[in-house]
Amino acid sequence: MRKRFLPLMFLLLMLASCSVFNRLGGPEDSQTPEIQPTTNDVNFGLADLAALSPGDILLQHDYEPGLLRPELWFEYGRVPQFTLYADGQLIYVLEEPFVFDQTVMLVQLTKEEAVDLVQQVLDMGFGRLEAKTEDCIEQADGEMVCTVVMDASTVILRSRLPTGALKEVRIYNDQANHLEIYRNITNLLSNYSHENAELYRPHAATLFIRPVDPMESTNEVQWPFDNNWLSHLNFGERGMIAVALTGENLTRMLNLISGNSGEAFFILNERSYGGYLVPWLPGKDHNAAIREEFPVADLPMVASGFTSVFNVCVEIEPDILGTLRLAYVSDGDVWIWDEGLEPISLTGSGDVGQLKLSPSGEAVVFTRMGSESELWVGFPKDQTTHSLTLGSALTGKIEILSFSFDEAFVAFAHMPDDIHGELWVAHIDGSGARRLVSAEEFMSIVAEPLADAAVPTGVTWIPKTYTLTYDARPTFVEEGIYIYVQRQVWVVDALTGMKGELFAAGEGGSVSYSPDGNSMVLATPESLRLMNVEAKDLHPAGVDFFAVGFGEFYAYPPMVWLHDSQSFLLAQPEEEGYDQDLPVTVWQVPLDGSPAEKLLELTGFFQSFSFSPSEDKVAYWRTVAPGTNVRELHIAALDGSEHILYATEDTLEFLGWIPDFRRFVYGVYNEQRAYIGDVCGSAVPLQVEFYPVNFRMIDFSRFLFERPGSDTFELYEGHPDGSTVLRLNIENFGGYDFVILPPEG
């Protein structure tokens, strides 16, 4: 039976009057779920949750707008109010008085918390909730004629049922059959907040751009993107255009607004423009829809976040992302230094070895070496420490590996002696440590029959889970050269200790994950394969791939994921060899296994290829003639629009990109000097009288590097203008780590 709606009245209310605009927010499922009928069973438990896939929706409060600003009419111009996934990931929008000031938040719930939220909605009567249609009159031909309020919105509520089905209810203009049930559920979801929620960082976003009257704009800033964009944009009848932002273009826009969604105003050539940013939520790709609705002639790379090399030359002063926190070992003790404060010591035992900061910087895990090995954790905020391996007698060495996604666990390797290894995990709260894989188990799976023992290798956390992947690397009593290649992958659950074989011997490879954690790459010297982590659809990458053997090791072609997690860049040599001026092809490889797109054909040393953080440029060097150390440094735009020979020097090396959209660091070893290069101008010397090593980028305007061969350990902070600051100068140094603490408030 079809429905036809007749207008009752026309109300232009820019501040929404219906309950859906109390708050907006939440991610959407990566796939549109199948909507099933309701059920009488209203008990939802952990067993029902276990039957779902991590990306399945448990609860969602969505909407379709009425007559508000046209940006909201598009799916990529708004975000749902509340979405809870089966893996506990919850994304919601903070309450704001105006829809265009919304802020999207992210929190990871426990399984129990997720089940409880679903049960609350079911207990409120969701199974009995339907749209009210009493105001519709059925015509003789079976068509339903209904009156409408022109500015009213449609609220969409979805909840998982114990059957596994997802029921959807669409309520137009608050017309529900049980108004109290409807209001209770929408109030619960629209007013939800969590004390552990953090600002959601999107992988991509829509930027709506429109010309505005200067009287309408406030706090105008200089147009921060390629100036050629606006000369190509056709604002059309709508008076606006939409483009997709990723990578550094997205970062620029996020730096201009207070949260992750909102407005900013720009000025270019004495004209004013308004920009409204709307984040995309996990797994979403709106590029095709945007290009179809807003075709932009002569601007093919905007939707992928690319910009031309020479169109980034407007000076940008990006915000400092947060406070630098250094953790380091001096005289066997753990010290913490926060930018602007005095260092503090967390220990006084003098027996600390390795340390590692958690990604949030809230905890520092470190080893203590005595008659037995111990793993400890310290908390800089309250300056407390406690043991993580209390009650576990561990001899030999401990190597800290990595933290779980929520920092609840830390994985570490225990080496009882020089050739045997075990895989362990410890609870950060100090509730215990357990051995996951023994030395005997590693020996039983090692892919080398002549090995004397084995140690863990290839240990990684599967993103958003408590599952570790690992392999066994063979070790030998007698020293020698052995080239190890991972060709199998095992898994173990840190919670239960359950183990399994993810890829059998000969079927695996070294593992890396996409930025969103949904896909993995398996690489061997002869193959490159891709897989969706959830679907486990292993398939070859659509490109000819091989690593180059260098006698004692394999050199893998440089590869970098794009920020949208849908493809990656690959600098693949066309032939094996040791020459430094052989052909190299730059490919963009999609995750679906379709043929890769050839971006550039260049000649240079393939291991020197380095892709810029803005995903639009590649730097590399090549020798001017065979057998010489005189090298040319080249910068090329990946869209083929620009290619410059930047410098020619003896023993030139490319040291890294500064993520400020245009600058990089290169060194001249014979001169023992380094320089800050700029695609928009000449290089400036880095202000130190030595050849720096171990560059590590902090944010858009800072990087760290070390002075080699000194009696004391010297750690410097550098800046794009070449200036430097000595941050650490200590004797009896034992290692360091750093994070960026988010801004307070």
Side-chain angles (χ1 to χ4, degrees):
M1 178 181 304
R2 296 186 298 114
K3 292 182 182 179
R4 179 162 56 91
F5 296 91
L6 298 177
L8 177 63
M9 56 183 168
F10 189 87
L11 301 176
L12 292 177
L13 300 178
M14 295 307 293
L15 289 177
S17 60
C18 53
S19 63
V20 67
F21 287 115
N22 286 342
R23 287 176 30 204
L24 311 174
E28 302 184 23
D29 197 4
S30 57
Q31 296 180 351
T32 302
E34 181 181 356
I35 309 302
Q36 300 291 343
T38 187
T39 175
N40 292 325
D41 187 356
V42 294
N43 295 317
F44 188 88
L46 292 174
D48 302 299
L49 184 65
L52 301 175
S53 299
D56 289 341
I57 287 178
L58 291 182
L59 285 175
Q60 190 168 56
H61 181 188
D62 203 350
Y63 74 101
E64 292 176 355
L67 295 175
L68 290 176
R69 273 176 47 173
E71 291 94 331
L72 298 177
W73 298 346
F74 305 102
E75 182 184 2
Y76 45 81
R78 61 183 190 268
V79 288
Q81 174 66 37
F82 176 105
T83 300
L84 173 62
Y85 289 113
D87 63 0
Q89 182 179 220
L90 169 60
I91 303 181
Y92 64 91
V93 177
L94 290 177
E95 180 82 30
E96 298 291 351
F98 190 51
V99 65
F100 297 103
D101 295 329
Q102 64 186 14
T103 302
V104 184
M105 305 299 291
L106 167 68
V107 66
Q108 180 67 43
L109 301 184
T110 65
K111 295 179 181 179
E112 290 76 14
E113 287 176 316
V115 167
D116 180 66
L117 273 174
V118 176
Q119 191 61 52
Q120 286 187 60
V121 171
L122 295 178
D123 289 343
M124 288 177 178
F126 178 78
R128 295 183 285 125
L129 186 62
E130 301 291 346
K132 182 179 178 181
T133 58
E134 286 84 348
D135 294 336
C136 299
I137 302 175
E138 184 174 357
Q139 304 296 298
D141 60 359
E143 184 175 16
M144 298 292 291
V145 177
C146 308
T147 58
V148 301
V149 179
M150 291 299 292
D151 74 319
S153 300
T154 298
V155 174
I156 306 168
L157 298 175
R158 301 181 178 106
S159 178
R160 188 68 59 175
L161 304 176
T163 60
L166 189 69
K167 179 187 175 182
E168 176 184 282
V169 180
R170 302 172 65 88
I171 306 295
Y172 171 73
N173 194 31
D174 296 344
Q175 298 299 304
N177 63 337
H178 293 287
L179 190 58
E180 183 177 0
I181 293 175
Y182 167 71
R183 286 176 174 170
N184 288 341
I185 294 175
T186 54
N187 284 339
L188 171 68
L189 301 184
S190 64
N191 291 295
Y192 183 88
S193 64
H194 197 289
E195 62 181 0
N196 295 328
E198 299 177 348
L199 191 70
Y200 171 66
R201 173 75 184 203
H203 67 282
T206 308
L207 178 62
F208 292 92
I209 308 168
R210 58 188 177 91
V212 297
D213 189 298
M215 298 296 293
E216 178 185 348
S217 62
T218 58
N219 300 321
E220 286 182 337
V221 297
Q222 186 67 32
W223 175 252
F225 307 111
D226 180 353
N227 291 353
N228 287 332
W229 282 21
L230 293 180
S231 65
H232 289 287
L233 296 180
N234 177 12
F235 294 100
E237 296 180 358
R238 291 195 182 96
M240 69 176 184
I241 197 71
V243 296
L245 296 185
T246 61
E248 301 307 328
N249 285 335
L250 174 59
T251 300
R252 291 186 186 192
M253 187 63 192
L254 289 173
N255 285 338
L256 295 177
I257 59 178
S258 59
N260 48 20
S261 174
E263 290 186 301
F265 293 94
F266 313 111
I267 187 168
L268 179 66
N269 298 329
E270 299 183 354
R271 293 198 61 186
S272 298
Y273 300 87
Y276 174 51
L277 190 74
V278 182
W280 298 358
L281 300 176
K284 281 298 182 180
D285 182 356
H286 297 295
N287 278 292
I290 291 175
R291 285 194 293 267
E292 181 178 358
E293 193 70 37
F294 295 95
V296 184
D298 302 323
L299 199 60
M301 305 308 291
V302 169
S304 297
F306 285 77
T307 57
S308 174
V309 169
F310 294 113
N311 290 323
V312 295
C313 296
V314 175
E315 279 290 346
I316 302 295
E317 293 296 338
D319 295 335
I320 300 296
L321 296 186
T323 300
L324 172 65
R325 167 168 287 176
L326 280 173
Y328 59 93
V329 178
S330 177
D331 286 321
D333 286 314
V334 176
W335 289 79
I336 301 293
W337 175 76
D338 288 349
E339 191 173 6
L341 301 177
E342 292 297 319
I344 60 172
S345 177
L346 292 184
T347 66
S349 57
D351 58 358
V352 173
Q354 182 194 9
L355 62 69
K356 184 178 288 291
L357 271 169
S358 66
S360 69
E362 295 180 359
V364 55
V365 172
F366 55 93
T367 62
R368 295 181 61 183
M369 307 299 294
S371 58
E372 294 181 352
S373 299
E374 297 182 56
L375 190 68
W376 283 64
V377 64
F379 300 97
K381 184 175 182 179
D382 55 15
Q383 300 182 35
T384 60
T385 64
H386 62 246
S387 173
L388 299 180
T389 51
L390 188 64
S392 301
L394 303 177
T395 59
K397 297 185 297 183
I398 289 176
E399 179 187 356
I400 305 168
L401 298 176
S402 58
F403 292 85
S404 61
F405 70 97
D406 58 357
E407 302 182 11
F409 294 95
V410 61
F412 65 96
H414 172 224
M415 307 290 293
D417 53 40
D418 291 338
I419 63 172
H420 293 86
E422 302 172 335
L423 179 58
W424 285 64
V425 70
H427 292 263
I428 294 298
D429 62 8
S431 58
R434 65 182 299 174
R435 184 175 64 186
L436 298 178
V437 188
S438 68
E440 292 76 17
E441 289 174 302
F442 277 113
M443 189 60 192
S444 69
I445 67 172
V446 71
E448 170 53 66
L450 299 179
D452 295 308
V455 295
T457 191
V459 179
T460 60
W461 293 93
I462 296 179
K464 306 173 188 176
T465 75
Y466 294 125
T467 301
L468 286 160
T469 64
Y470 66 95
D471 190 15
R473 179 173 60 83
T475 55
F476 305 88
V477 173
E478 296 185 3
E479 295 184 0
I481 297 174
Y482 181 86
I483 302 177
Y484 172 75
V485 176
Q486 183 176 3
R487 300 183 186 274
Q488 61 183 350
V489 181
W490 288 73
V491 293
V492 60
D493 190 296
L495 290 173
T496 66
M498 295 291 293
K499 291 180 278 289
E501 191 177 56
L502 184 60
F503 296 106
E507 299 178 4
S510 61
V511 177
S512 67
Y513 293 97
S514 58
D516 62 9
N518 294 330
S519 302
M520 68 163 57
V521 166
L522 285 169
T524 70
E526 308 87 17
S527 66
L528 190 68
R529 290 164 294 161
L530 314 173
M531 190 182 80
N532 180 277
V533 175
E534 181 179 344
K536 294 183 172 58
D537 55 343
L538 186 65
H539 54 272
V543 63
D544 291 333
F545 174 89
F546 61 86
V548 177
F550 276 82
E552 299 181 5
F553 65 95
Y554 284 102
Y556 285 79
M559 184 188 87
V560 62
W561 288 96
L562 295 184
H563 286 77
D564 63 5
S565 294
Q566 301 305 305
S567 60
F568 56 86
L569 301 173
L570 176 72
Q572 178 65 51
E574 294 302 302
E575 58 186 86
E576 287 204 44
Y578 300 96
D579 294 339
Q580 297 173 347
D581 56 355
L582 294 176
V584 177
T585 301
V586 176
W587 300 89
Q588 184 170 349
V589 183
L591 289 185
D592 60 8
S594 57
E597 178 185 0
K598 181 184 291 187
L599 301 181
L600 294 173
E601 292 183 349
L602 305 167
T603 300
F605 182 44
F606 79 96
Q607 279 196 289
S608 73
F609 276 62
S610 177
F611 297 104
S612 67
S614 54
E615 302 176 350
D616 63 341
K617 301 179 283 292
V618 63
Y620 67 97
W621 58 257
R622 66 185 180 197
T623 55
V624 298
T628 179
N629 281 327
V630 179
R631 301 167 179 173
E632 300 174 342
L633 175 59
H634 291 254
I635 310 291
L638 294 182
D639 63 3
S641 61
E642 304 287 351
H643 187 160
I644 59 174
L645 169 58
Y646 190 83
T648 303
E649 299 281 357
D650 190 17
T651 62
L652 180 148
E653 294 181 304
F654 187 81
L655 301 178
W657 287 95
I658 299 173
D660 70 342
F661 322 114
R662 50 188 274 188
R663 295 178 176 89
F664 49 88
V665 186
Y666 69 95
V668 180
Y669 187 79
N670 279 357
E671 294 182 7
Q672 288 291 288
R673 294 298 302 269
Y675 298 85
I676 308 296
D678 186 342
V679 297
C680 301
S682 58
V684 297
L686 187 65
Q687 296 173 18
V688 290
E689 298 298 326
F690 58 85
Y691 193 79
V693 297
N694 295 335
F695 276 86
R696 300 175 70 183
M697 299 303 163
I698 301 174
D699 53 27
F700 303 103
S701 59
R702 297 179 292 173
F703 52 90
L704 294 175
F705 60 90
E706 302 166 23
R707 178 174 186 166
S710 175
D711 293 335
T712 62
F713 176 77
E714 296 181 17
L715 180 68
Y716 289 79
E717 179 183 306
H719 306 97
D721 62 1
S723 62
T724 62
V725 178
L726 180 62
R727 286 302 187 197
L728 285 181
N729 182 14
I730 57 177
E731 298 180 354
N732 301 322
F733 173 72
Y736 77 99
D737 197 4
F738 79 94
V739 298
I740 298 298
L741 302 177
E744 295 184 1

